[in-house]
Amino acid sequence: MSRIGNRLLPIPAGVNVTIEKTLVKVEGKLGKLDINFNPKKISVLNKDNKVIVKRNNNEKTTCMLHGTINAIINNALIGVDKGHTKKLLINGVGYRANVAGNKINLSLGYSHPISLEIPAGINVTCPSVTEVVIVGADKAKVGQLAAVIRGKRPPEPYNGKGVMYSDEIIIRKVGKTAEGSKK
């Protein structure tokens, strides 16, 4: 039995939830999100200012979807009310980032600059040249953009250079030394 699927999701003040046949529409001050679900397997109800997700049968795929749909709706409720944030740190000599229009420009030690398109509904800022803050209502889009930026130069364990999440811990490795090669 899914414990995550059984939790009741309180609707924050200022957020409007509309449930249609196969769609949950969540609207708030930061945007509007739509969540699709299969009405043959999952039913979603709006009762007493709470969202309730129930499964219609006990098949294995239905049990798997139960918690997933509940978590996606919870992320949407939080996203349209407070927003989701990912912070990236850039470490390395000459590594930098800046935002120009709807593009983020990265200099990550390659022979060419990297320019990425910022998706609609996502706000990217650079408080300094070595920090990137991604904010948006859709948690999946925020995480995907952060993963794409990090993937352009992942942190390496010897010098610690690269793009990393602010809460990420890089386990450093000791490189080769002249002392270790002498016998």
Side-chain angles (χ1 to χ4, degrees):
M1 178 171 257
S2 173
R3 292 185 183 154
I4 290 181
N6 288 333
R7 70 183 169 178
L8 302 176
L9 305 175
I11 301 172
V15 175
N16 185 22
V17 176
T18 308
I19 300 169
E20 295 177 1
K21 188 171 182 170
T22 64
L23 196 66
V24 177
K25 293 184 177 184
V26 182
E27 280 187 67
K29 60 185 176 192
L30 294 180
K32 184 163 85 169
L33 296 174
D34 296 337
I35 298 115
N36 288 315
F37 66 95
N38 186 348
K40 293 178 183 174
K41 297 183 180 205
I42 301 290
S43 56
V44 181
L45 307 168
N46 185 353
K47 238 187 227 179
D48 299 330
N49 211 22
K50 290 184 175 99
V51 176
I52 302 167
V53 180
K54 292 186 177 180
R55 56 180 184 234
N56 297 335
N57 55 41
N58 284 326
E59 294 176 3
K60 187 174 182 180
T61 55
T62 305
C63 293
M64 289 188 289
L65 283 175
H66 186 213
T68 304
I69 296 296
N70 190 304
I72 291 171
I73 293 171
N74 187 38
N75 288 338
L77 290 171
I78 293 169
V80 298
D81 186 36
K82 298 176 188 164
H84 295 285
T85 303
K86 284 281 188 182
K87 185 176 178 184
L88 298 170
L89 301 175
I90 301 172
N91 187 7
V93 177
Y95 291 12
R96 60 187 65 244
N98 66 345
V99 177
N102 66 340
K103 291 186 181 252
I104 181 165
N105 300 315
L106 304 166
S107 297
L108 298 175
Y110 296 115
S111 61
H112 54 84
I114 298 167
S115 182
L116 296 172
E117 194 79 29
I118 298 172
I122 302 293
N123 185 17
V124 178
T125 58
C126 293
S128 70
V129 294
T130 59
E131 287 181 64
V132 178
V133 178
I134 305 167
V135 179
D138 191 351
K139 187 174 185 179
K141 283 184 180 179
V142 169
Q144 180 65 35
L145 182 61
V148 167
I149 292 172
R150 183 184 181 273
K152 296 300 177 184
R153 178 71 83 171
E156 52 100 8
Y158 294 103
N159 296 328
K161 296 191 323 188
V163 180
M164 64 189 84
Y165 299 114
S166 64
D167 57 351
E168 185 177 12
I169 297 170
I170 306 299
I171 298 172
R172 300 291 295 269
K173 292 183 180 178
V174 179
K176 295 179 182 179
T177 60
E179 216 33 61
S181 62
K182 292 182 183 176
K183 290 200 177 188

